[in-house]
Amino acid sequence: MGAATALVLSGCSGGGSDSATSTEAGSSTSVQVDAAAAALLPAKYKESGINVAADMPNPPMEMLDENQNPTGFDYDLAQALGAKLGVKFTFVQQTFDTAVPSLQAGKHDIIMAGMNDTVEREKVLDFVDYFHAGFVIVVQKGNPENITRILDLCGKNVAVQKSTVQGELLEGYADKCKAAGAGPINLVQLPTELDAQTAVRSNKAVADVVDASVGTYAAETAGDGQIFELVKDAEHPGGYNPVYTGIGLLKGNDDLAKALNMALQSVMDDGTYAKLLDKYKLSDFAIDKAGINRASE
């Protein structure tokens, strides 16, 4: 799908209505506008809606259905936020490694692409955090290379999506690999997460290191759970280096950040957030409150 393809989320346009219809798990449910959150939203978004840079497909966060329409946890969460704010969200395909430049160029208002909130990224972006998870190692079913921990990846080809925190994490293991008498991890950096999974399936990489939410979904659903499995590291049962995931927006857009944060809290308070997490089997990665720029917590 081309980068200019616009994918429109349902939600009411600004003004006039006190509720909006959001599609959840194939049924229609009413999500009430949160007047306080909507009042914080800058006027220009009430008029034009919110344009979202989304890296699709990146299951289960962003996916495309059989008709090439968007779905996934981020999509459904954005629907609920749009209903709370009384505006329309428009999802636009944008590759992960070009999402930040696209914001800087004024092509999009926010990023919803399963983007991790890190101290380094907070130099450029603010994040409205909605998720907390570590990284996991995904291998072929049966674990033919007997990978049990990150150091078992030393000297081997490991797939990651380009411009992700996972790549930075693995690069940081060079000294530990050397101390273990092995070569550095050979990163196979690919455009999309699905490309990384394909590399594992085709034996071009022994593993894919990815967010726990994405890895868990792949292990459970690909080939009805018969293609991948997760490495169980006893020292890191919840994954490696747990971090927050958030909605990214440019520094200085404080009113939009506050409006999104309040809308997110409202989605949590009315139970919609928990239902969406359960729909995509992501409940283990829930956070207990909305927050902005929590990378250092």
Side-chain angles (χ1 to χ4, degrees), residues 55 58-59 61 96 113-118 121 131 133-138 150 153 158-174 185-190 192-194 196-197 207-216 239-245:
D55 179 27
N58 180 38
M61 309 307 285
F96 188 86
M115 181 171 280
N116 297 137
D117 177 358
T118 68
R121 284 178 177 154
F131 208 74
F135 308 133
V136 294
I137 301 172
V138 180
I150 283 187
L153 301 176
V158 177
V160 294
Q161 184 177 3
K162 288 194 300 185
S163 302
T164 58
V165 176
Q166 292 92 307
E168 298 172 12
L169 170 72
L170 295 178
E171 286 175 342
Y173 273 78
I185 297 169
N186 181 28
L187 292 182
V188 181
Q189 302 200 48
L190 297 163
T192 73
E193 169 53 26
L194 290 183
Q197 292 175 23
D208 170 22
V209 177
V210 66
D211 286 342
S213 58
V214 177
T216 300
Y240 301 93
N241 293 32
V243 295
Y244 286 96
T245 294

Coordinates of all heavy atoms in Angstrom, one line a residue, residues 55 58-59 61 96 113-118 121 131 133-138 150 153 158-174 185-190 192-194 196-197 207-216 239-245:
D55 N 2.6 2.3 10.8 CA 3.4 1.3 10.1 C 2.6 0.1 10.0 O 2.5 -0.7 10.9 CB 4.7 1.1 10.8 CG 5.6 0.1 10.2 OD1 5.5 -0.1 8.9 OD2 6.4 -0.6 10.9
N58 N 1.9 -4.4 11.2 CA 2.8 -4.7 12.3 C 1.9 -5.4 13.4 O 1.7 -4.8 14.4 CB 3.4 -3.4 12.8 CG 4.3 -3.6 14.0 OD1 5.1 -4.6 14.1 ND2 4.3 -2.7 15.0
P59 N 1.5 -6.6 13.1 CA 0.5 -7.2 14.0 C 1.1 -7.5 15.4 O 2.3 -7.8 15.5 CB 0.2 -8.5 13.3 CG 1.4 -8.8 12.4 CD 1.9 -7.4 12.0
M61 N -0.4 -4.7 16.6 CA -0.6 -3.3 16.8 C -1.3 -2.6 15.6 O -2.3 -1.9 15.8 CB 0.7 -2.6 17.1 CG 1.6 -3.3 18.2 SD 0.6 -3.6 19.7 CE 0.6 -1.9 20.4
F96 N 8.2 2.7 9.5 CA 8.6 3.0 10.8 C 9.8 3.9 10.8 O 9.8 4.9 11.6 CB 8.9 1.7 11.6 CG 9.2 1.9 13.1 CD1 8.1 2.0 14.0 CD2 10.5 2.1 13.5 CE1 8.4 2.2 15.3 CE2 10.7 2.3 14.9 CZ 9.7 2.3 15.8
A113 N 2.5 3.5 16.0 CA 3.2 2.5 15.3 C 3.9 1.5 16.3 O 5.0 1.0 16.0 CB 4.2 3.0 14.3
G114 N 3.3 1.4 17.5 CA 4.0 0.5 18.5 C 5.4 1.1 18.8 O 6.3 0.3 19.1
M115 N 5.5 2.4 18.8 CA 6.8 3.0 19.0 C 7.2 3.1 20.5 O 6.4 3.6 21.3 CB 6.8 4.5 18.4 CG 8.2 5.2 18.6 SD 8.3 6.7 17.6 CE 8.6 6.1 16.0
N116 N 8.4 2.6 20.8 CA 8.8 2.7 22.2 C 9.2 4.1 22.6 O 9.9 4.8 21.9 CB 10.0 1.7 22.4 CG 9.7 0.3 22.2 OD1 10.4 -0.5 21.5 ND2 8.5 -0.2 22.7
D117 N 8.8 4.4 23.8 CA 9.2 5.7 24.4 C 10.6 5.5 25.1 O 10.7 4.8 26.1 CB 8.2 6.1 25.5 CG 8.5 7.4 26.2 OD1 9.5 8.0 26.0 OD2 7.7 7.8 27.1
T118 N 11.6 6.2 24.5 CA 12.9 6.1 25.1 C 13.5 7.5 25.4 O 13.0 8.5 24.9 CB 13.9 5.4 24.1 OG1 14.1 6.3 23.0 CG2 13.4 4.1 23.7
R121 N 14.6 9.2 22.2 CA 13.5 9.7 21.4 C 12.8 10.9 22.0 O 12.2 11.7 21.3 CB 12.5 8.6 21.1 CG 13.0 7.6 20.1 CD 12.1 6.4 19.9 NE 12.5 5.5 18.8 CZ 12.2 4.3 18.7 NH1 11.4 3.7 19.6 NH2 12.7 3.5 17.7
F131 N 1.2 1.6 27.1 CA 1.6 0.2 27.0 C 2.9 0.0 27.7 O 3.7 0.9 27.7 CB 1.7 -0.1 25.5 CG 1.4 -1.6 25.1 CD1 0.2 -2.1 25.1 CD2 2.5 -2.4 24.7 CE1 -0.1 -3.4 24.7 CE2 2.3 -3.7 24.3 CZ 1.0 -4.2 24.3
A133 N 6.0 -3.1 27.9 CA 6.4 -4.5 27.6 C 7.9 -4.5 27.4 O 8.5 -3.5 27.0 CB 5.7 -5.0 26.4
G134 N 8.5 -5.7 27.5 CA 9.9 -5.9 27.2 C 10.0 -6.5 25.8 O 9.1 -6.5 25.0
F135 N 11.3 -6.9 25.5 CA 11.6 -7.5 24.2 C 11.7 -9.0 24.4 O 12.1 -9.5 25.5 CB 12.9 -7.0 23.6 CG 12.9 -5.5 23.6 CD1 14.0 -4.8 24.0 CD2 11.9 -4.8 23.1 CE1 14.1 -3.4 24.0 CE2 11.9 -3.4 23.0 CZ 13.0 -2.7 23.5
V136 N 11.3 -9.8 23.4 CA 11.4 -11.2 23.4 C 12.2 -11.7 22.2 O 12.4 -11.0 21.2 CB 10.0 -11.9 23.5 CG1 9.3 -11.6 24.8 CG2 9.2 -11.5 22.3
I137 N 12.6 -13.0 22.3 CA 13.3 -13.7 21.2 C 12.4 -14.7 20.6 O 11.8 -15.5 21.3 CB 14.6 -14.4 21.7 CG1 15.6 -13.4 22.4 CG2 15.3 -15.1 20.6 CD1 16.7 -14.1 23.1
V138 N 12.1 -14.5 19.3 CA 11.2 -15.4 18.6 C 12.1 -16.3 17.7 O 13.0 -15.8 16.9 CB 10.3 -14.6 17.7 CG1 9.3 -15.6 16.9 CG2 9.4 -13.7 18.5
I150 N 20.0 -14.2 25.4 CA 20.5 -13.3 24.4 C 21.9 -13.7 24.0 O 22.3 -13.6 22.8 CB 20.5 -11.8 24.9 CG1 19.0 -11.3 24.7 CG2 21.4 -11.0 24.0 CD1 18.9 -9.8 25.0
L153 N 22.8 -15.7 21.0 CA 22.7 -15.1 19.7 C 24.0 -14.6 19.2 O 24.2 -14.2 18.0 CB 21.7 -13.9 19.7 CG 20.3 -14.3 20.1 CD1 19.4 -13.0 20.2 CD2 19.6 -15.3 19.2
V158 N 20.6 -12.4 13.3 CA 19.4 -12.1 14.1 C 18.7 -11.0 13.4 O 19.2 -9.9 13.1 CB 19.8 -11.7 15.5 CG1 18.5 -11.3 16.3 CG2 20.5 -12.8 16.3
A159 N 17.4 -11.2 13.1 CA 16.6 -10.2 12.4 C 15.9 -9.2 13.4 O 15.5 -9.6 14.4 CB 15.5 -11.0 11.6
V160 N 15.9 -8.0 12.9 CA 15.2 -6.9 13.6 C 14.6 -6.0 12.6 O 15.2 -5.9 11.5 CB 16.1 -6.1 14.6 CG1 16.6 -7.0 15.8 CG2 17.3 -5.5 13.9
Q161 N 13.6 -5.2 13.0 CA 13.1 -4.2 12.1 C 14.0 -3.0 12.2 O 14.5 -2.6 13.3 CB 11.7 -3.8 12.5 CG 11.1 -2.7 11.5 CD 9.6 -2.4 11.9 OE1 9.1 -2.9 12.9 NE2 9.0 -1.6 11.1
K162 N 14.3 -2.3 11.1 CA 15.2 -1.1 11.1 C 14.7 0.0 12.0 O 13.5 0.2 12.2 CB 15.3 -0.6 9.7 CG 16.1 -1.4 8.7 CD 16.5 -0.6 7.5 CE 15.2 -0.2 6.7 NZ 15.6 0.5 5.4
S163 N 15.6 0.7 12.6 CA 15.4 1.9 13.4 C 14.6 1.6 14.7 O 14.0 2.5 15.3 CB 14.6 2.9 12.6 OG 15.3 3.3 11.5
T164 N 14.7 0.3 15.2 CA 14.0 0.0 16.4 C 15.0 -0.1 17.6 O 16.2 -0.2 17.4 CB 13.3 -1.4 16.3 OG1 14.3 -2.4 16.0 CG2 12.2 -1.4 15.2
V165 N 14.4 0.0 18.8 CA 15.3 -0.1 20.0 C 15.9 -1.4 20.1 O 17.0 -1.6 20.7 CB 14.4 0.2 21.2 CG1 15.2 0.1 22.5 CG2 13.8 1.7 21.1
Q166 N 15.3 -2.5 19.6 CA 15.8 -3.8 19.7 C 17.2 -3.9 19.0 O 18.1 -4.6 19.6 CB 14.9 -4.8 19.0 CG 13.6 -5.0 19.8 CD 12.5 -4.1 19.3 OE1 12.7 -2.9 19.2 NE2 11.4 -4.7 18.9
G167 N 17.4 -3.2 17.9 CA 18.7 -3.2 17.2 C 19.7 -2.6 18.1 O 20.9 -3.1 18.2
E168 N 19.4 -1.5 18.8 CA 20.3 -0.8 19.6 C 20.7 -1.7 20.8 O 21.8 -1.7 21.3 CB 19.7 0.5 20.2 CG 19.4 1.5 19.0 CD 18.7 2.7 19.6 OE1 18.6 2.9 20.8 OE2 18.2 3.5 18.7
L169 N 19.7 -2.4 21.4 CA 19.9 -3.3 22.5 C 20.9 -4.4 22.1 O 21.9 -4.6 22.9 CB 18.6 -3.9 22.9 CG 18.7 -5.1 23.9 CD1 19.0 -4.6 25.3 CD2 17.4 -5.9 23.9
L170 N 20.7 -5.0 20.9 CA 21.6 -6.1 20.5 C 23.0 -5.6 20.2 O 24.0 -6.3 20.5 CB 21.0 -6.8 19.4 CG 19.7 -7.5 19.6 CD1 19.2 -8.2 18.4 CD2 19.8 -8.6 20.7
E171 N 23.2 -4.4 19.7 CA 24.5 -3.8 19.4 C 25.3 -3.7 20.7 O 26.5 -3.7 20.7 CB 24.4 -2.5 18.7 CG 23.9 -2.7 17.2 CD 23.7 -1.3 16.5 OE1 23.5 -0.3 17.2 OE2 23.7 -1.3 15.3
G172 N 24.5 -3.4 21.8 CA 25.2 -3.2 23.1 C 25.7 -4.5 23.7 O 26.4 -4.4 24.8
Y173 N 25.5 -5.6 23.1 CA 26.0 -6.9 23.6 C 27.4 -7.3 23.0 O 27.9 -8.4 23.3 CB 25.0 -8.0 23.3 CG 23.9 -8.1 24.4 CD1 22.9 -7.2 24.5 CD2 24.0 -9.1 25.4 CE1 21.9 -7.3 25.5 CE2 23.1 -9.2 26.4 CZ 22.0 -8.3 26.4 OH 21.1 -8.4 27.4
A174 N 28.0 -6.4 22.2 CA 29.2 -6.8 21.6 C 30.3 -7.2 22.6 O 31.0 -8.2 22.4 CB 29.7 -5.6 20.7
I185 N 26.7 -10.1 17.6 CA 25.5 -10.5 17.0 C 25.4 -9.8 15.6 O 25.7 -8.6 15.5 CB 24.3 -10.1 17.9 CG1 24.3 -10.8 19.2 CG2 23.0 -10.3 17.1 CD1 23.3 -10.3 20.2
N186 N 25.2 -10.6 14.6 CA 25.1 -10.0 13.3 C 23.6 -9.6 13.0 O 22.8 -10.5 12.7 CB 25.5 -11.1 12.2 CG 25.5 -10.6 10.8 OD1 25.6 -9.4 10.6 ND2 25.3 -11.5 9.9
L187 N 23.4 -8.3 13.0 CA 22.0 -7.8 12.8 C 21.6 -7.9 11.4 O 22.3 -7.3 10.5 CB 21.9 -6.4 13.4 CG 22.0 -6.2 14.9 CD1 21.8 -4.7 15.2 CD2 21.0 -7.1 15.6
V188 N 20.5 -8.4 11.1 CA 19.9 -8.4 9.8 C 18.7 -7.4 9.9 O 17.6 -7.8 10.4 CB 19.4 -9.8 9.4 CG1 18.7 -9.8 8.0 CG2 20.5 -10.8 9.4
Q189 N 18.9 -6.2 9.5 CA 18.0 -5.1 9.7 C 17.1 -5.0 8.5 O 17.6 -4.8 7.4 CB 18.6 -3.8 10.0 CG 19.5 -3.9 11.3 CD 19.8 -2.5 11.9 OE1 18.9 -1.7 12.1 NE2 21.1 -2.3 12.2
L190 N 15.8 -5.1 8.7 CA 14.8 -5.2 7.6 C 13.7 -4.2 7.7 O 13.5 -3.6 8.8 CB 14.2 -6.6 7.6 CG 15.2 -7.8 7.4 CD1 14.6 -9.1 7.8 CD2 15.6 -7.8 5.9
T192 N 10.4 -4.1 7.7 CA 9.2 -4.3 8.5 C 9.4 -5.5 9.4 O 10.3 -6.4 9.2 CB 7.9 -4.6 7.6 OG1 8.0 -5.9 7.1 CG2 7.8 -3.6 6.5
E193 N 8.5 -5.6 10.5 CA 8.6 -6.7 11.4 C 8.2 -8.0 10.7 O 8.8 -9.1 11.0 CB 7.7 -6.5 12.6 CG 7.4 -7.7 13.5 CD 8.7 -8.3 14.0 OE1 9.8 -7.7 14.0 OE2 8.7 -9.5 14.3
L194 N 7.3 -8.0 9.7 CA 6.9 -9.2 9.0 C 8.1 -9.7 8.2 O 8.3 -10.9 8.0 CB 5.7 -8.9 8.1 CG 4.4 -8.7 8.9 CD1 3.3 -8.6 7.9 CD2 4.1 -9.9 9.8
A196 N 11.2 -9.4 9.2 CA 12.0 -10.1 10.2 C 11.5 -11.5 10.5 O 12.3 -12.4 10.6 CB 12.1 -9.3 11.4
Q197 N 10.2 -11.6 10.6 CA 9.7 -13.0 10.8 C 9.9 -13.9 9.6 O 10.2 -15.1 9.8 CB 8.2 -12.9 11.1 CG 7.9 -12.2 12.4 CD 6.4 -11.9 12.6 OE1 5.5 -12.6 12.1 NE2 6.0 -11.0 13.5
A207 N 16.8 -16.0 14.7 CA 15.9 -15.4 15.7 C 15.4 -14.0 15.2 O 16.1 -13.4 14.5 CB 16.4 -15.4 17.1
D208 N 14.3 -13.6 15.8 CA 13.8 -12.2 15.6 C 13.6 -11.7 17.0 O 13.0 -12.3 17.9 CB 12.4 -12.3 14.9 CG 11.7 -11.0 14.9 OD1 12.3 -9.9 15.0 OD2 10.5 -11.0 14.7
V209 N 14.3 -10.5 17.3 CA 14.1 -9.9 18.6 C 13.2 -8.7 18.4 O 13.4 -7.8 17.6 CB 15.5 -9.4 19.2 CG1 15.3 -8.7 20.5 CG2 16.4 -10.6 19.4
V210 N 12.1 -8.7 19.2 CA 10.9 -7.8 18.9 C 10.2 -7.6 20.2 O 10.4 -8.2 21.2 CB 10.0 -8.5 17.9 CG1 9.4 -9.7 18.4 CG2 9.0 -7.5 17.3
D211 N 9.3 -6.5 20.2 CA 8.5 -6.2 21.4 C 7.7 -7.5 21.8 O 7.2 -8.2 20.9 CB 7.5 -5.1 21.0 CG 8.1 -3.8 21.0 OD1 9.2 -3.6 21.5 OD2 7.5 -2.9 20.4
A212 N 7.5 -7.6 23.1 CA 6.8 -8.8 23.6 C 5.4 -9.0 23.0 O 5.0 -10.1 22.7 CB 6.8 -8.8 25.1
S213 N 4.7 -7.9 22.9 CA 3.4 -7.9 22.3 C 3.4 -8.5 20.9 O 2.5 -9.4 20.6 CB 2.7 -6.5 22.3 OG 3.5 -5.6 21.5
V214 N 4.3 -8.1 20.1 CA 4.3 -8.5 18.7 C 4.8 -10.0 18.6 O 4.3 -10.8 17.9 CB 5.2 -7.6 17.9 CG1 5.4 -8.1 16.4 CG2 4.7 -6.2 17.9
G215 N 5.9 -10.3 19.4 CA 6.4 -11.7 19.4 C 5.4 -12.7 19.9 O 5.3 -13.8 19.4
T216 N 4.7 -12.3 21.0 CA 3.7 -13.2 21.6 C 2.6 -13.5 20.6 O 2.1 -14.6 20.4 CB 3.1 -12.6 22.8 OG1 4.1 -12.4 23.8 CG2 2.0 -13.5 23.4
G239 N 10.5 -10.6 29.7 CA 11.1 -10.0 28.6 C 12.3 -9.1 29.0 O 12.5 -8.8 30.2
Y240 N 13.0 -8.7 28.0 CA 14.2 -7.9 28.2 C 13.9 -6.4 28.2 O 13.2 -6.0 27.4 CB 15.3 -8.2 27.2 CG 15.7 -9.7 27.1 CD1 15.1 -10.5 26.3 CD2 16.7 -10.1 27.9 CE1 15.5 -11.9 26.2 CE2 17.1 -11.5 27.9 CZ 16.5 -12.3 27.0 OH 16.9 -13.7 27.0
N241 N 14.5 -5.7 29.1 CA 14.5 -4.2 29.1 C 13.0 -3.7 28.9 O 12.8 -3.0 27.9 CB 15.4 -3.6 28.1 CG 16.8 -3.8 28.3 OD1 17.2 -4.8 28.9 ND2 17.7 -2.9 27.9
P242 N 12.1 -3.9 29.8 CA 10.7 -3.4 29.6 C 10.7 -1.9 29.4 O 11.4 -1.2 30.1 CB 10.0 -3.8 30.9 CG 10.8 -5.0 31.5 CD 12.2 -4.7 31.1
V243 N 10.0 -1.5 28.5 CA 9.9 0.0 28.2 C 8.4 0.3 27.9 O 7.6 -0.6 27.6 CB 10.7 0.3 26.9 CG1 12.2 0.1 27.2 CG2 10.3 -0.5 25.7
Y244 N 8.1 1.6 27.9 CA 6.8 2.1 27.6 C 6.7 2.2 26.1 O 7.6 2.5 25.4 CB 6.5 3.4 28.3 CG 6.2 3.3 29.7 CD1 7.2 3.5 30.7 CD2 4.9 2.9 30.2 CE1 6.9 3.3 32.0 CE2 4.6 2.8 31.5 CZ 5.6 3.0 32.4 OH 5.4 2.8 33.8
T245 N 5.5 2.1 25.6 CA 5.1 2.3 24.2 C 4.1 3.5 24.2 O 3.2 3.5 25.1 CB 4.5 1.1 23.5 OG1 5.5 0.1 23.4 CG2 4.0 1.4 22.1

